[in-house]
Amino acid sequence: MKYGYLFYQKPLIAEMPSRPINLGDPIQSYAVKLLYKEMGIAEEDIIPVPRYDMADYKGEECVCTVNTCSTYEELAYDSHFMPPSEKIHAVPFSLHINRDIAEEELEYYRTCTDVGCRDEFTQRKLAALGVNAHLTGCLSLTFPRRTQVQEQNADKVYLIDVQKRVKDLIPRELLEEAIELSSIHRFEILHDSNRMTEQEAFDFHKLGEDRIALLRDTAKLVITSRLHAAAPCL
């Protein structure tokens, strides 16, 4: 049996030549990969599962942790998310849903022993619809603690997607040394596909993993509006 993590081979549309992509997506998948390794699962048994094509998946049979954010945005794309293919033994955990849920998808959640929800909003929403839902929090809270050496060497201040009204409250001495970053990257579409290429998606995942490494190794302070920057720092 293989163990899957959600692979964000993003949907594309021609009308959006510069597509915004959020590093929070691959950061969530990175947390799953690290947990699998902590469980003693061999590298070769950890495989990518296409996040936007789970219903049509025809790859190797696998257990897959489904920790993702599902909103109305994905309805604008050619996306087939839930219920998953019979080849996927899905474990809904750290799930966020902020959209209407189709009856077929809802019936699938009702068959699950339980559904782990990232937030109280999702837990209440699913519970009201007859799903055995409970609160898990976000898996990006599970990154290993940094070493004492890493902590001692960390000396950078980062502002990640901080609104101007918040910046106005930050002491000047912090702003002067702060490095501004964003969790949103612009992906330039250079081909006619309705998906990123596989290599582009792997590169996107590496951007997320690199962001975690940067914060782990160099940050003494992070001020951010982004859940998947704040939670790993905790």
Side-chain angles (χ1 to χ4, degrees), residues 38-176:
E38 189 173 325
M39 292 164 62
I41 296 168
E43 185 84 36
E44 61 269 22
D45 290 330
I46 300 173
I47 63 172
V49 171
R51 156 67 175 83
Y52 298 98
D53 300 291
M54 289 182 66
D56 302 326
Y57 176 77
K58 296 179 175 63
E60 293 184 82
E61 187 173 2
C62 66
V63 172
C64 184
T65 302
V66 182
N67 61 318
T68 192
C69 178
S70 184
T71 69
Y72 283 101
E73 179 197 17
E74 71 187 73
L75 303 182
Y77 302 99
D78 178 22
S79 179
H80 306 279
F81 174 46
M82 282 287 191
S85 155
E86 291 183 357
K87 301 195 76 174
I88 297 174
H89 304 280
V91 181
F93 194 94
S94 189
L95 183 64
H96 171 76
I97 302 177
N98 187 13
R99 56 169 171 77
D100 293 336
I101 304 174
E103 190 60 31
E104 186 181 18
E105 180 180 357
L106 182 57
E107 283 304 315
Y108 169 75
Y109 292 134
R110 287 171 177 157
T111 67
C112 296
T113 303
D114 52 29
V115 174
C117 303
R118 188 180 83 184
D119 49 85
E120 292 180 344
F121 171 85
T122 303
Q123 189 273 329
R124 289 194 299 265
K125 179 184 183 75
L126 292 177
L129 294 168
V131 176
N132 185 19
H134 66 281
L135 184 66
T136 60
C138 186
L139 277 178
S140 63
L141 287 163
T142 65
F143 284 103
R145 285 188 178 275
R146 60 185 177 185
T147 65
Q148 190 173 21
V149 171
Q150 288 168 332
E151 186 170 353
Q152 288 172 345
N153 291 336
D155 60 358
K156 300 291 192 296
V157 175
Y158 294 103
L159 307 183
I160 303 177
D161 296 318
V162 176
Q163 302 95 329
K164 182 183 182 304
R165 61 185 175 83
V166 177
K167 283 184 187 176
D168 291 342
L169 302 174
I170 298 173
R172 181 179 298 175
E173 59 269 23
L174 280 180
L175 285 176
E176 288 175 350

Side-chain angles (χ1 to χ4, degrees), residues 181-198:
L181 301 173
S182 178
S183 291
I184 303 299
H185 282 246
R186 306 298 304 194
F187 174 76
E188 302 300 326
I189 302 175
L190 303 175
H191 48 73
D192 297 327
S193 173
N194 67 345
R195 289 282 189 276
M196 285 180 168
T197 67
E198 189 174 87

